[in-house]
Amino acid sequence: MANLKLSHIYKVYENGHKAVNDFSIDIADREFIVFVGPSGCGKSTTLRMVAGLETITAGDLFIGDTLVNDMEPKDRDIAMVFQSYALYPHMTVYENMAFGLRNRKMPEEEIKQRVLKAAKMLDIEEYLDRKPKAMSGGQRQRVALGRALVRDPKVFLLDEPLSNLDAKLRAQMRTEITELHKNLKTTFIYVTHDQVEAMTMGTRIVVMKLGYVQQIDTPMNLYNEPYNKFVAGFIGSPQMNFFDVKLKREGDDVDVIFANGDKVTIPYEKVSKIHEKYLNGDTTVTFGIRPEHLSVNKEGKGLEFVVTNVERLGNETIIYGKVGDKVEEFTMKDEGRNIVLKVIDREDINVGDIAYAEPNPSKVHFFDAETEVTLMTKIPEYNTIHAVHDGDYMDVLGHRVELPETYKGALADAHDFELGLPPAAIVPGKDFSLKVAKTEKVDDKNLAYLVNGDKYLFALVSDDVKEGDDYQFDILNEKVNLSADGKELLKAIGDQESFMGRFSKTEKKENGERVLHFFYDIGDYTIEAAPEHGYKINSIDGDNCYKYTYRYAVDRKNIRFAGEGEEGLKGEVLEILDYGNVRFAKIKANGEEILVNVDKGFDAKEVKLAFDAKDVSVYSTRIDMMIC
Ligand code: ADP
C-alpha cells in the first residue's frame, strides 16, 4: 500500500526531445490511476520514471513519504506488467512466477505459498507446469500479472497490458484487473491508449497529449466537463461532434447559429458561465455535442443534415450525416460538416433523408476557437463589469466608490470602462452588496452566482453563504484588469516576481573534509542555495550550470527589505503604486522592474531587497522547465 506524489516531473531525452512536461499528481493509496492519450504522448515514459527504468530529468517523485528519484528500481517496492508479457520461454509458469522471489533469496516454502495464492486468484493453477508457448495470450498475461502479484508490491504499474489480446478477451481481462485491484487494495497505475479501458477501469484518469497533461479527473467528470476540445474528442465513442458557431444572447435565451445559417436556441441559464464577449453574435466558437445528446426530427427543428449512413445496432441506432448542403455558397470545411447521432431505434430515418438534429441544452459544450479551452470552466476565470469614471469616483455595481490613485492614472480621460475581476478578487467587505441567486460546490470551494442586472457576477464565498442572501463584499483593486474600448489600461498584479541570475559553487574545507556550497547569484546579491537544490541543478545541467542563466522566482510576500548589515539586491524606487487597499513600490533592480508591498508613508529612494533561498523557485531558461 502506498500513496505517490509526482511533483513537476519532466523528461528530456538525450536527443533533446521533451517527452514529459511539468507532470504533477497526488495519488492516494489504493487509487486506480490511468494514463491515457494517443501514441507518443509520454504515458510510458512517465510510468517508466515511476518504475525507475528511466531517469527523471527534473521534479520529485515520492512513493509514500520517500523521495525515490535516485532509488534503484528493485528497491522501490513496485511491480510492473508489460504489454509483451516478458516471460522467460524456457521456464514453466511456476518458475516464471517464482523467479523474482528466488532472486531475493526468499525461502522456497514461502515462494510456493505465494505462487499458489496468486495462481488461484488468477485462475491459472492448472497451468503451473506449462511453458508460456503452450498458453494463449490471455493466459500469458495472467502469468505476467501473477509474477507481479507474488511480490506483494506497494504499487502496481501496468503498461498497455491488454493490447495484444483480442477484443473479447480484452473486455474480460478489464473486469478481472478491476477485480484484482479491489481485492489487493493496492495502488495501480495503468497506461493505455484506449479510452474505453481508461473510462471503465480508472478511479481517476490523466489525459495526456504531446507530453502535457490535459486534465486529471474522474471518468464522469472527463465525460461531462472536458477541459478542452482534445479531451472532449478523446473521451467518448462515437466522438463528440464539433461545429463552428456564433453565439448571440437574446434576453433569457442564447442562439447558437451554425455556419449554414441554421439556429438552435438554448436557455441562458445553461451557459451563464460563458463570458459575455463570446455572446455578441460576432465571435466564432467551437460547439461540441456528443452523438447521444442529439435528438433527430423531420419537422425542421435544429440543424439540417442529409443522412449518409444508418447503423442499426438493435438497442441503438447510429446516424451519420452531412450538414449544410442546402446553402449554395456553403463554405464550411468538409470535416466541419460531418454529424453523428446516437438515438434509440428510429425506423423512419433512412439514407438520403433530410433530417434535423436538436441538442439537449443541458449537455452542450463550447470551446474557444483558438485555444480550444472550454468556455464553461467550473470557476469562470474572470467577470467583466462595466463602470463609469467621474472625477475621483467610479460608479460600479450600483455604488459610487472612490478611485484608487493608480486607477486614476491608468484611466486618464476614459469615461466608460471595464473591470476584469477574477472571482478570487471578490472578498467579504462593505463596499458592495448583491443578491445570491444560487451557490454551487466546485471541488472544495463555494461558488456564488451574484445577481448583477441580467447576468451573474461569480464570486468564491465561504460555505455559510446561501441562496437569497445579500452578499456584502469589497474588490481587491490590485487584482483587477482595467480596459476601455477593448484596450488594456491596467494589468492585474500577479503574486510572483522573478529575477534572472547565475548559479555558482565554492568548495571549502570543513573539519578536514571538502564541502560544496551552492549559490544563486542575482547581480551582486548572492544567497546560498540548499545543498539538495544545488546538487539538483548540477545534476540536470552538468557543469554547464555555472555558465547558464536561470530564472529565480519568488512570491512577492516573501520579498522584504534587507535589515541593517544584511546583504541585499540594490534597487532604485521608481514610483509608488497606490491601490487604496494596498501599496506597491515599483523598483528597478538588476535591470528589471519589480513590485514590492510597502506601507503607507514609505518614501525611500534606494532600497536593498532580500529573500530566503527556501522561497526561491528555479527555472531553466535553456529549456522551459522548473528545476526546483
Ligand atoms: P506513449 O507511451 O504515450 O506512446 P512514450 O512515453 O513512449 O509515449 O514516448 C513519448 C515521446 O518520447 C515519443 O515522442 C517518443 O518518440 C519519445 N521517446 C521515447 N523514448 C525515447 C528515447 N529513448 N529517446 C528519445 N525519444 C524517446
Side-chain angles (χ1 to χ4, degrees), residues 13 15 17 19 38-45:
Y13 279 111
N15 62 3
H17 182 73
S39 179
C41 70
K43 309 177 292 284
S44 297
T45 302

Side-chain angles (χ1 to χ4, degrees), residues 11 13-20 37-48 54 159-160 191 193 208 211:
K11 176 68 190 184
Y13 279 111
E14 268 168 21
N15 62 3
H17 182 73
K18 255 178 117 183
V20 178
S39 179
C41 70
K43 309 177 292 284
S44 297
T45 302
T46 309
L47 196 75
R48 290 166 61 80
E54 203 70 73
D159 192 354
E160 303 253 10
V191 160
H193 63 276
M208 299 181 72

